Amino acid sequence: MIFHVLTLFPHMIRQGLGDSIMGKAIDRGVITLDVVDIRTYTQERHGQVDDYPYGGGAGMLMQAQPVYDAHRAVTGGKALRTVYVTPQGKPFTQKYAREFAREEELVFLCGHYEGIDERVLEEVVTDRISIGDYVLSGGELAAMVMIDATARLLPGVLGNSLSAQEESFHNDLLEYPQYTRPPVWHGRSVPQVLLSGDHRKVEAWRLEQSVLRTRLARPDLYERYLRKQQLICRLSGDKRNHIHMTESLKRGLGEILADQDGEILVYDRDNRICMLELQCTQHGGRTLAALETEAACDRIKEPAGESGSTGWEHLTGKIPEETEWCLVNQEPLVELLQKEGYRIFNQCSQFLYTLKEPLPVGHRDIRLLTMEHIEYLCTHYGEEHRSYLQERIESGSMYGAFVEGVLRGFVGLHGEGSIGFLYVEECCRRQGLAGSLEAYCVNRQLERGWIPYGHVVQGNVASQVLQEKLGFYKAGKTFWWLEKKPCN
């Protein structure tokens, strides 16, 4: 990923981000830091970039021309996301960091003095972001904070791929307290549970401490966490048909956009996936069961009450504009989403593995795949999926089976958490390789406390038989993946 920073103090940025984790990531080429001195683009022969503001007032204002020219030099006319660092902006959060991490290039514009001429901001800026309700001398420190928070989410920046997932704000919880040697310091001992070697007890203690810290220090986050846990508890009453939602929430991917009047919408912002469901027993004078037997969407969208609108439209109106996929298990919602501009991508069955015991892996040479295997994956999964496969490799979610040192098959996790990609070459089929690959993937998820699940396209009998052989349970409902139609 490339971070462009437009600033009057380039040395401040280079020095601030040139050491420690960020510096090492830059040295390895994982991220690129492009620092641009705005002053070099001024047309004023004395190097002036500021002037007095119209209407009077204290201080000086950065002029539009050098900022605009510096921005054009960086973007080359491309529409790059450009962040203006200002106390008047929206608060920067971990969600923004995850959102920024999906960009290939990002521009940060650092103001100084009393700010920047509004006209150039209106022309080049896409986001106005603040790191807090206070005023700094310039935007450089704030830009470095956002770059650090964003970069550490990128594959290969942190030494441990789990580090970014287990820190503060993951799943709306603050991080638990941590300890290292010596076991006793100044009369204070390390909690005994951390020395027990019992990983389940350690994880339970850490969760308890995270919840306690969050409740005391950040009641706003705690309320969000509590709401999520309450929905998980409700959905777990029918685990087989809701595992896609509960695991999204548990893994910190999903956020609740609707949870009232029997309407549920969980949104995976990183993967732009909406999971929708209606749990109401009656709607517009008819039971949900009756609605699910109706084929005509026009009948579903009959006016309800004096307002002339229905809860169905209310629910779909909450789907974020950038959504690319919807996952539902009710036919009326399929029909309504088709009216809203979505098309059916596939129809499938949902399987989940609820046992705690790891599965036996017959084939021993299964490894984590790296970018050196991208061509193999594209050949057998589809060249059109190259960027997605690359992202899955970089996230450490793709595994390959090697026979006599040669890659012969693979499996992995999709972005939203389901098992998929399963492929074995014809010459190696019927030898237990597919079962070993999926079992290996299941065991990696169990180690992280996740419930493995996946979707099998209807009609794929061989895959359904494999799931049942491995001990997966099949959900009772049919599931539909719907894709947003491209605009003409």
Side-chain angles (χ1 to χ4, degrees), residues 29-47:
V30 179
I31 61 176
T32 299
L33 183 63
D34 174 33
V35 185
V36 177
D37 187 349
I38 296 173
R39 198 178 298 276
T40 61
Y41 290 90
T42 182
Q43 296 174 2
E44 210 280 332
R45 61 193 181 95
H46 297 296

Side-chain angles (χ1 to χ4, degrees), residues 187-204:
R188 298 173 182 266
S189 299
V190 173
Q192 192 60 38
V193 65
L194 300 181
L195 307 175
S196 68
D198 189 324
H199 295 295
R200 290 190 179 182
K201 287 184 178 179
V202 169
E203 291 304 313

